Amino acid sequence: MKQEVYIIEGMSCAACSASVERVTRKLPGVARSDVNLTMNRMDIEYDETQVGPEQIMAKVRKAGFGIRRFVEEERADAAAPDVKEEDPEDRDLRIRRRDLIGAAVFTVLLLYVAMGHMLHLPLPRFMDMHEYPTNFALTQLVLAVPVLFFGRRFFTGGLGALFHMSPNMDSLVAIGSGCSFLYSLVMTYLIPFSHEYAGQLYFEAAATVITLVMLGKYFEARSKKKTKGAIKALMELKPDTALLVDGDSVREVPAGAVHPGDTVLVRPGARIPLDGIVR
């Protein structure tokens, strides 16, 4: 049996990690497949005579997710120690923040146009719902399109997962906001036949749903990054060597060379290299 670790890309909820586990566990020869959503990692144990890395990665990609071997990531970092590249998580968080700000700006403008008349807020006359209903609808359409663009990952990821019969939360957002947008688009085309259709527009609903979910996703991504940072900081506290007690002598050995049953000396103030029983 062989054990490997893979980095899974594109997971956004527990349904995503469950989907990856489900498709990989169905492969012949796979004894265990565990996905950590927070770390975006998959630990898998399989029989090399029945399945290989190519089949595993192909199965995950077919389910709509990205995948790469964790060993390859470590080798790439070791091969270029002097090259200071941006952390993928920092880049993803920066992109999410940029898209969220853009979506929020257009959503606020859209809500003002769509709901302003209910609160008796001033609007330009050419956007008046009763006098110029077509302009009223087209203005909302123009403001809603950028919000859909900033939230495009819901459609690319959600509809992709739905296409692969593994729907997730992104699929729900894409279907809900997409249907609201398409329905409003049809109503916009029908306004010349009857001005009553101007009151049946839901562009602002589609934009608001996307923006609010993007806000939640941003907070989630930021929290995950902080959690991973805390875990890594704890892992870095583990020393690389241990003081192995060998009879009457003590010698320093790599922590990985300590076996069950060995006695390790921990001096006052030193860090504990391994789990064990205190004697």
Side-chain angles (χ1 to χ4, degrees):
M1 302 295 288
K2 184 177 182 180
Q3 296 184 7
E4 285 188 327
V5 179
Y6 291 87
I7 302 297
I8 308 297
E9 300 172 339
M11 295 192 300
S12 59
C13 60
C16 298
S17 58
S19 177
V20 175
E21 289 181 347
R22 184 173 61 253
V23 298
T24 51
R25 287 174 181 174
K26 289 182 179 180
L27 289 170
V30 174
R32 178 181 60 85
S33 177
D34 300 313
V35 177
N36 188 316
L37 178 62
T38 304
M39 303 295 291
N40 294 326
R41 286 177 50 167
M42 177 180 69
D43 294 273
I44 188 169
E45 183 178 356
Y46 61 91
D47 186 353
E48 295 180 88
T49 61
Q50 299 186 50
V51 67
E54 294 77 14
Q55 291 89 341
I56 295 174
M57 290 191 286
K59 197 71 174 179
V60 173
R61 291 192 181 105
K62 188 176 180 181
F65 303 96
I67 181 174
R68 67 179 188 274
R69 299 180 70 173
F70 183 66
V71 177
E72 293 178 355
E73 183 184 57
E74 288 182 334
R75 288 176 179 172
D77 293 340
D82 297 331
V83 179
K84 195 69 174 179
E85 296 183 356
E86 185 179 11
D87 185 3
E89 290 187 2
D90 290 337
R91 181 171 62 250
D92 179 70
L93 198 62
R94 177 172 52 82
I95 294 174
R96 286 181 181 273
R97 182 169 57 248
R98 182 197 62 194
D99 290 343
L100 174 61
I101 293 174
V105 170
F106 282 97
T107 299
V108 170
L109 294 175
L110 179 55
L111 286 172
Y112 186 90
V113 173
M115 303 294 183
H117 63 280
M118 298 182 182
L119 301 175
H120 304 289
L121 298 175
L123 276 175
R125 185 178 178 184
F126 71 90
M127 287 193 298
D128 185 85
M129 177 180 176
H130 303 288
E131 293 188 39
Y132 302 96
T134 301
N135 291 352
F136 177 73
L138 290 177
T139 302
Q140 294 186 50
L141 172 62
V142 170
L143 293 173
V145 169
V147 179
L148 267 64
F149 172 76
F150 288 122
R152 59 193 179 279
R153 66 173 65 200
F154 292 116
F155 297 93
T156 56
L159 296 180
L162 185 63
F163 178 77
H164 290 97
M165 304 302 293
S166 300
N168 51 32
M169 191 177 72
D170 291 350
S171 305
L172 182 63
V173 175
I175 292 173
S177 59
C179 289
S180 298
F181 180 83
L182 293 176
Y183 177 84
S184 302
L185 190 61
V186 173
M187 294 299 104
T188 301
Y189 279 104
L190 294 178
I191 287 177
F193 300 98
S194 175
H195 289 183
E196 294 181 358
Y197 290 114
Q200 301 183 29
L201 302 175
Y202 298 97
F203 289 118
E204 82 286 351
T208 303
V209 167
I210 290 177
T211 302
L212 291 179
V213 178
M214 286 177 66
L215 178 63
K217 290 285 188 180
Y218 173 74
F219 286 146
E220 181 185 17
R222 192 173 65 174
S223 298
K224 284 176 62 177
K225 185 178 183 302
K226 290 182 179 179
T227 302
K228 290 182 68 174
I231 294 174
K232 289 180 179 179
L234 285 174
M235 293 176 65
E236 290 174 357
L237 292 176
K238 179 182 176 182
D240 298 327
T241 61
L243 297 177
L244 180 64
V245 178
D246 187 7
D248 295 332
S249 63
V250 177
R251 55 191 178 92
E252 188 173 10
V253 298
V258 179
H259 303 287
D262 290 343
T263 300
V264 175
L265 174 66
V266 180
R267 300 188 186 281
R271 293 176 293 175
I272 301 176
L274 299 162
D275 291 339
I277 299 173
V278 179
R279 298 180 59 185

